[in-house]
Every structure is written in C-alpha cells, then in structure tokens.
C-alpha cells in the first residue's frame, strides 16, 4: 500500500478511549500507542510515560476504539466497470465507514479467475487504495458453474476465498468436487445460495406485499433449498463453506444444525437484511432492490437474534454500486444492489442502540470473525499487530446525505436516514486515512 | 343534463394511478358522473367542450386496441386534442429510459397523459417526472383502475348496487391487474369478493386481501351475483402454469353447466379480449347473462368521467368553471 510512497507516519496516541477488542474479549478504558504502522502498546496512563518523539495525541474520551472493519463482501468495478466504482473510490468510502480491509468480489470484467488478475487487482489496490484490499477469486472458470478454477495457484497469488459472487452453482457435483479439492489448500468457499429457477423473474420477497404491488416474488425456499443442499455437501466433503448472505429463519435452522454437527459451515448476513425490510420497497423504490431480497420484519428480527447469539458469523456490507441509469427504472427492470461500505457500521449501531446486541458482538462480526475466516492478520488490537483501527463517536447523531458519500454511485438505501454514532477516524497501518471534522 | 346546476365533481388528486387510496365517496362520485356520460354517448350529439384546448397523449408501451381506442374516444368526445404515441415504432423502445420519455413528453406540455406499461409501478414512476395529470391504463400486474371503475358501473347499472353483492373473480389472478383493482374497488364499496383459480394462478398470500379463496369453480360460483372471468395468456397455457387448454377449460372455463351454480340472475363479465373455449364458452359469452358488450360501452363513459374529473383540477381551470 502507501508505505512505498511515503515515509512511515508519525506515532499516534489514541488517548483515553474505550478500547474494545473482540479478539481478546477486551473492553477497557485505555490508551493505544501506534508507531511504525503497528500497535505498540495498550494500557492506561501511557500518555504520562515517555512517548516517541513527535507523537500525535488524539483525545479519545467519549470515543470507542475498535479494530478496523473487514468487509467480506463488496463489489468493486475495477477492472471493467470503473464507472461504478474504482479501487480508489471504494477505499475512500471504506475509510469513511471505518472499513480497513475490503474483500472484493470476482465478478469484474474480466472475471477474477486467473492468478494474473488477482495480481493486477492487488497491485492496483497497492497503488491507488487507502485501505487494504484482498480479492476473492471465482470458484469456477468464468463463473459459469462448470469447471473449478486453479484454487491452489489463485490462493498463492493472494485470493483469500473462492466464490462465484452473485451466481449460485447449480450443479451439486461441481460444488462437491470444489469443496473436496479446496480442502487441500484450506481454502474457504463462499456461496450465494439461490435456486435460479425458483427465483425466476422475481424481484422482491414473495408474499402479500409483492402480490399487492404486482411484482414477481422470490420465495425464501429459493435460498434454503440450496443452502440445505450445500450443508450436506459440506458434511460429505468436510470442506470449509460459508453462506454469502442468509435472510430467513429456515436457513438459520439449517445453519444451527450444521454447526451443532461440527461442520466447517459459517454464514454472513448483510447489513441491509439486518436493518431494513420489504416494506421499504413500497413506492417501487429501486434503491431497496437487493439480492437476496429484503424479507419481512419477522425475518429481520430472526436474523438479528441469530447475530446476537453468534450463529451468524459475519456482517457484510454487500456493497454494490449501481449508477442511476440502471436504478431509475421500473422496479422489475432495475438492477439489484445497494452501496454500503460507508454506512455499514452506522447502520449496525442501530442494532446496538436499540438493545438488540452489544457492540462487542457487532464489531466481532464486522471485523474479528471475517479476519479469522479469511486468515488475515486483522480484526484485532493486539500489540504487535498492524494498526488498522476505527475510532467511533457513539453518541454523535447525524443525517445521511447521499450527495456527500464517497462512492462513485449514490444508490444508498439510507439516504436521509438518521444515525446515532459515526466513525470519526480511521487508521490503516498506523496512518490516518479518514478523519471526520 | 342537470350537471350545470351543481358544482362539477372533482378528484382531489392530480393523477389516477390506482384504485388504492380512492375513497368510497370518490369512487361513487366517478360512477355518478359516468352515468351522465352514458346518456350523452347514446345521443346523436356526443361532444362536449370540457377539454377544449387540452392535449391528451395516449402512451401505450404495451399494445391494446380496446383500452387505447376507448381513451381516445373519451378524450375526443370531451373536446381534447388526442395523440396516440406508437411506442413500438419510435425511439422510446430503443434504449431511451422511461424517465427520458417522460421528460420528452413533458416538454410538449400535454394536459393529460394516459399510460400503459408492462412493468408494475412504471406509471407511478413516470407520473413523478411530469407536470400533467397521469391516468394509469394498466401497469404490469399492479393496477388498472379504469377497468375496475367500468366494471363497477356495469354492475351497478344492472344490479342497482354494489354493496352486499358477492362477486367471483375467476382465472389468472396472479398476473392480473384487473383482479387487483377490482378487489380493491369492490371491497371499498362493500361487496364480498371470491377468487377462483388453480393454485398456480393465485398470488402468494392472496387470502390476506380479504377475499375468499376457491380452487373449485362449482363451489366458488355457488350463489354469486357476478362472475368475472379473466383472460389467460397463451404462454401460460401449455404446462408452465396449467397443463393444457383442454384441462384448463374443463376445470376452470366458464360454461353453462358451471354457471348454473351461481344465482339464477347472476351476470357474467370479462374485461376482454376473450379467449373463447379457453376461459369462457361462446354460449355463455354471448348468452343472456353476459354483460361483456355493455362493459365496453361503460368503458368510454367511465374514462370520460375520469378525464372530466381530473381536468377540473388542472392548472388554468377553475374547479367550478
């Protein structure tokens, strides 16, 4: 990253904040000293001791200091769709949202299914992005669902997991072989669980509301059927499997049974499904058209409970920039997707503020747990580790203005939303990459 | 006519996008106004000057001879200049977005825009981008408000009321905007509504619309006052939603035998165009209990009423002028 472009940043002392580190179940009032890009020490009263020359002291009273977020599912348009998002613009949005590591999806143009493209993305990110970026590679060549990619070589090139992004793999045989083969490289397979036939022309959650709006529905079973199949394949193969975005109680039951059986099965939920529901699409609002579709309020509550109890491992932004040409259309014709890098933490804090879960759980699911699953040295404030940090002002009330977002596209479902709590400073490898003033 | 003596009926809205949101009073007001136009339409001199100087554009993204000509006639009889946009032949279909189209049309300063589109919500989206009154002539599987109004007018003229009647809507409910608008309107005016269809042609959670759900035609038609048949699109007949035309007609097609389960004075309706021998038998369609031709006549009157009522609130018009 930027280390190659400029000398290492001056030391920073984050003084007097509430330091919350899910990797150690730590929640204390302390100072955090950062120098040479790494966390040097954390204890109370560091400021009175001899600090390195030129240390910048940041007053973090009434602030929460957490490990920077690791967003496990973000689409970035580079290469091939730079009008939607570049690695640079996505990283600016990420930094403003406290995200210090982006895991980008392989459904670019060309598709990330070749080690040379993994290498390209990593180099572009190093040269243009202000946060860490790691690509997932395609699980099948061309994401066509037929032949597995070079999982070993792609891993060696730096792909952190394997997925066909928004495509579900119809063939159980292909997925079985991939799970079996990937074990050799301890590779994680991330799968979008959706039966394409059952989804059909569906554009929102199937049910009364879709019937009233005259929109084709997507049944919950389209997700659960595929996920249930996948869990059986995970049991057969003992491969490492991660469901990309679960949305409903039936899928959560399958997940619970898989975990109870000791399978290496984990799952994400998107911030959209945790904080919004199908009522938001009333008025044919296409910024709420996402895949899988927003479900009803009971589904949302079940998903939040599953996150609170640790059943859902990871919260993702599912960042998907779409320009107005593909969003300002009749609902059934509009593209799926919503941006989320910049708002996922603020939206997640709603769940903390309404008492649904504690901050430790939220940060674990947005940082520590995805880092563990992907084998990344992130998601922790342990001394000696890279200083990837977000500083949160938990009581700061604010109104989202989509025009102020840093993403190239403005398709946020949170325009004019009220939030309580925001990121005020983000550090990546010890350097402040975002500061709210 | 006597309407000159009282204040003309107006709708307190710019657009008619659906039955949803209309009060029973507004619906009844429109039906009463339409009655006056039924009388007018049967005279030799059918013209009014209500819309003189006004421009009406019929914008049909989905072809429809019947509804489009009905709106055209309605506008012309009220004195408007009516233009039909042939969407299929223009740039509108070649990549221009609906919003671009709206902006283009808006620049021509129409007063009334009649829109049909295959996507649910498309007419509402377009209405947000123009300054004139917009009438939904059918959007996807969502709403078709003037069809529901003309159906209600037809029923009221034949039964004297809507309140307390039992109406069975039969056929492809899933893909039908006519069914949705009719359910809303009939409920607003106090009728009981049943839907009768094979399970594959019923939308999810339809019972939450407050309708009685039947799969068997005989039981579904038992003691009903009105049988409303819906058209089954050809592409849904061959195995995708129902196995075959033959089987569909056998179980769900309206013939004289099935119609006998309804009340003896039950009346039969169809929004057209009919598939004879698919959802309805010719003997019933052309029989004594059929209101199908009258529906077409009422269509013109109802659309005149809607144009009249909406035009009263257009800029440049005094509500009581």
């Amino acid at each position: 990253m930027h280390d190659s472009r400029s000398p290492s940043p001056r030391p920073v002392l984050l003084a007097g904040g509430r330091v919350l580190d899910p990797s150690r179940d730590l929640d204390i009032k302390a100072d955090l000293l950062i120098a040479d890009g790494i966390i040097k020490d954390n204890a109370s009263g560091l400021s009175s001791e001899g600090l390195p020359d030129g240390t910048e002291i940041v007053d973090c009273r009434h602030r929460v200091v957490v490990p920077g977020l690791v967003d496990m599912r973000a689409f970035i348009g580079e290469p091939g769709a730079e009008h939607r998002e570049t690695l640079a613009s996505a990283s600016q949005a990420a930094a403003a949202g406290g995200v210090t590591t982006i895991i980008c999806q392989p459904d670019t143009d060309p598709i990330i299914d070749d080690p040379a493209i993994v290498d390209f993305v990593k180099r572009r990110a190093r040269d243009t992005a202000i946060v860490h970026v790691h690509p997932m590679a395609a699980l099948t060549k061309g994401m066509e669902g037929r032949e597995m990619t070079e999982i070993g070589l792609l891993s060696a090139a730096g792909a952190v997991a394997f997925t066909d992004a928004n495509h579900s793999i119809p063939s159980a045989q292909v997925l079985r072989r991939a799970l079996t083969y990937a074990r050799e490289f301890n590779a994680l397979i991330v799968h979008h669980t959706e039966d394409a036939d059952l989804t059909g022309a569906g554009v929102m959650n199937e049910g009364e509301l879709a019937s009233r709006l005259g929109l084709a529905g997507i049944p919950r079973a389209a997700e659960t059927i595929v996920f249930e199949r996948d869990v059986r394949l995970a049991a057969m193969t003992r491969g490492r499997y991660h469901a990309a975005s679960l949305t409903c109680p039936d899928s959560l039951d399958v997940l619970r049974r898989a975990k109870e059986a000791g399978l290496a099965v984990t799952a994400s939920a998107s911030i959209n499904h945790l904080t919004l529901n199908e009522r938001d699409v009333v008025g044919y609002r296409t910024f709420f058209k996402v895949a899988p579709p927003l479900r009803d309020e009971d589904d949302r509550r079940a998903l939040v409970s599953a996150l609170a109890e640790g059943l859902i491992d990871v919260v993702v932004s599912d960042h998907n920039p779409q320009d107005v040409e593909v969003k300002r259309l009749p609902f059934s014709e509009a593209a799926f997707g919503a941006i989320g890098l910049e708002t996922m933490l603020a939206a997640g804090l709603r769940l903390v503020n309404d008492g649904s879960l504690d901050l430790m759980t939220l940060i674990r699911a947005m940082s520590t747990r995805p880092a563990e699953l992907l084998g990344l040295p992130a998601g922790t404030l342990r001394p000696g580790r890279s200083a990837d940090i977000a500083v949160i002002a938990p009581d700061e009330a604010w109104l989202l203005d989509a025009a102020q977002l840093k993403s190239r596209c403005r398709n946020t479902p949170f325009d004019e939303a009220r939030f309580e709590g925001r990121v005020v400073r983000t550090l990546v490898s010890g350097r402040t990459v975002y500061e709210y003033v | 006519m006597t309407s000159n003596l009282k204040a003309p009926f107006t709708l307190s809205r710019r657009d008619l996008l659906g039955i949803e949101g209309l009060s029973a009073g507004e619906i009844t007001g429109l039906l009463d106004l339409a009655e006056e136009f039924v009388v007018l339409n049967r005279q030799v001199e059918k013209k009014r000057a209500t819309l003189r100087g006004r421009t009406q554009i019929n914008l049909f993204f989905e072809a429809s001879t019947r509804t489009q000509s009905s709106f055209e006639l309605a506008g012309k009889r009220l004195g408007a200049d009516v233009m039909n946009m042939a969407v299929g032949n223009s740039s509108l279909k070649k990549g221009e977005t609906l919003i671009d189209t709206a902006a283009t049309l808006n620049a021509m300063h129409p007063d009334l825009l009649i829109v049909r589109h295959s996507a649910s919500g498309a007419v509402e989206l377009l209405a947000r981008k123009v300054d004139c009154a917009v009438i939904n002539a059918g959007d996807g599987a969502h709403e078709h408000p003037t069809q529901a109004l003309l159906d209600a007018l037809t029923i009221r003229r034949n039964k004297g009321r809507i309140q307390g009647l039992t109406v069975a809507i039969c056929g492809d409910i899933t893909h039908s905007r006519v069914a949705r608008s009719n359910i809303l309107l009939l409920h607003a005016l106090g009728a009981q509504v049943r839907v009768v269809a094979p399970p594959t042609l019923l939308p999810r959670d339809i019972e939450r619309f407050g309708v009685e759900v039947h799969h068997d035609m005989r039981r579904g038609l038992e003691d009903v006052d009105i049988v409303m048949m819906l058209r089954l699109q050809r592409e849904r007949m061959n195995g995708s939603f129902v196995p075959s035309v033959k089987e569909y007609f056998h179980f769900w097609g309206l013939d004289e035998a099935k119609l006998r389960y309804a009340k003896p004075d039950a009346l039969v309706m169809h929004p057209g165009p009919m598939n004879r021998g698919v959802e309805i038998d010719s003997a019933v369609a052309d029989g004594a209990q059929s209101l199908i031709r009258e529906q077409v006549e009422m269509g013109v009157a109802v659309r005149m009423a809607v144009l009249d009522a909406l035009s009263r609130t257009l800029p440049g018009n005094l509500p009581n002028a």
Side-chain angles (χ1 to χ4, degrees), chain A residues 206-216 218-220 282-285 296 325 327-333, chain B residues 20 97-99 117-122 124-125 128-129 139-142 180 184 203-206 208-210:
Chain A
E206 183 175 286
E208 180 189 357
L209 190 62
S211 294
R212 285 192 185 277
L213 293 171
L215 294 172
I218 301 173
R220 293 171 182 82
V282 169
Y284 301 97
R285 296 198 292 167
D296 71 20
E325 282 71 33
K327 275 295 189 184
R328 298 214 193 285
L329 292 172
F331 196 88
S332 57
E333 296 168 12
Chain B
E20 189 177 19
T97 69
L98 190 62
I99 286 174
H117 197 285
S118 60
S120 301
E124 184 180 328
L125 176 65
R128 272 187 242 135
K129 306 291 172 183
D139 65 321
H142 179 225
R180 281 171 182 76
L184 293 168
R204 183 78 176 265
D205 296 335
I206 181 70
R208 294 204 199 150
F209 285 52

Side-chain angles (χ1 to χ4, degrees), chain B residues 214-232:
Chain B
H214 290 270
H215 302 138
D216 180 285
M217 276 291 267
R218 287 170 181 79
R219 237 176 281 160
L221 296 190
E222 218 170 312
D223 294 328
V224 303
D225 299 285
I226 302 288
V227 184
M228 237 180 228
M229 299 308 297
L230 298 173
R231 178 181 169 79
L232 182 65

Side-chain angles (χ1 to χ4, degrees), chain A residues 112-361:
Chain A
I112 305 174
D113 61 357
D114 183 287
I117 306 169
V118 172
D119 191 53
F120 168 82
V121 170
K122 286 180 71 84
R123 277 186 292 113
R124 280 293 289 174
R126 183 196 63 204
D127 294 345
T128 65
I130 59 169
V131 304
H132 306 290
V133 179
H134 300 281
M136 282 193 195
L139 180 60
T140 66
K141 289 172 189 163
M143 301 197 318
E144 288 174 352
R146 287 198 290 270
E147 300 163 17
M148 73 176 96
T149 51
E150 296 165 331
I151 292 173
L153 293 174
L154 287 161
S155 293
V160 292
F162 295 83
T163 183
D164 276 3
N166 282 326
H167 296 252
S168 231
I169 292 169
S171 164
Q173 181 68 288
V174 168
L175 191 59
R176 176 195 178 178
R177 292 221 176 102
L179 280 162
T180 306
Y181 186 82
R183 249 176 42 202
E184 180 62 22
F185 300 96
N186 198 31
L188 180 70
I189 287 178
V190 180
H191 196 218
H192 175 70
T193 50
E194 181 181 52
D195 183 292
D197 293 321
L198 276 177
T199 296
V203 292
M204 71 169 288
N205 182 41
E206 183 175 286
E208 180 189 357
L209 190 62
S211 294
R212 285 192 185 277
L213 293 171
L215 294 172
I218 301 173
R220 293 171 182 82
E223 166 184 312
T224 308
I225 285 172
V226 172
F227 181 47
E228 196 148 31
R229 176 200 75 173
D230 291 357
V231 166
R232 287 178 189 276
L233 294 174
M236 271 172 88
T237 61
R238 296 279 149 182
R240 293 180 64 217
Y241 174 94
H242 185 83
S245 177
L246 297 183
T247 67
C248 62
D250 281 350
S251 296
L252 296 172
D253 288 345
V254 175
L255 177 63
R256 189 185 311 277
R257 287 201 301 275
K259 288 192 168 185
E260 282 167 2
L263 303 178
V265 170
T266 51
S268 292
S270 93
I271 191 64
N272 300 320
H273 295 92
L274 288 162
T275 57
L276 305 168
N277 68 35
E278 63 172 5
R279 304 281 334 160
D280 288 304
V281 312
V282 169
Y284 301 97
R285 296 198 292 167
T286 59
F287 282 16
F288 295 87
K289 182 178 177 180
V290 293
L294 297 176
R295 304 291 185 190
D296 71 20
E297 180 61 9
D298 290 344
D299 295 302
R300 187 194 72 83
R301 284 171 194 268
L303 209 55
V304 171
S305 298
L307 174 63
E309 64 166 290
L311 181 61
I312 287 287
D313 299 87
V314 175
V315 175
V316 296
S317 74
D318 201 16
H319 183 79
N320 190 350
Q322 299 285 6
D323 57 34
V324 291
E325 282 71 33
V326 296
K327 275 295 189 184
R328 298 214 193 285
L329 292 172
F331 196 88
S332 57
E333 296 168 12
F336 287 94
I339 56 170
L341 276 167
E342 206 166 334
T343 48
M344 70 184 289
L345 181 59
L349 288 173
R350 283 184 172 177
L351 305 175
V352 175
N353 295 334
D354 74 12
S356 300
L357 42 99
D358 56 36
L359 187 59
M360 183 75 83
T361 304

Side-chain angles (χ1 to χ4, degrees), chain A residues 70-85:
Chain A
V70 177
D71 183 8
M72 203 168 152
R73 190 172 174 84
F75 173 84
I76 299 174
E78 197 169 350
E82 286 81 358
H83 67 289
R84 284 166 65 188
E85 197 82 283

Side-chain angles (χ1 to χ4, degrees), chain B residues 96-154:
Chain B
E96 189 176 273
T97 69
L98 190 62
I99 286 174
D100 292 335
T101 305
T104 304
L105 288 178
N106 202 42
M108 299 178 189
H109 299 293
D111 301 289
L112 293 145
L113 201 53
I114 320 298
V115 188
R116 168 169 289 193
H117 197 285
S118 60
S120 301
V123 180
E124 184 180 328
L125 176 65
L126 190 140
R128 272 187 242 135
K129 306 291 172 183
V130 296
D131 302 315
C132 62
V134 176
I135 298 169
N136 181 1
D139 65 321
H142 179 225
E143 282 233 44
H144 190 358
T146 57
Q147 179 70 44
L149 287 164
L150 78 88
D151 288 342
L153 182 63
T154 310

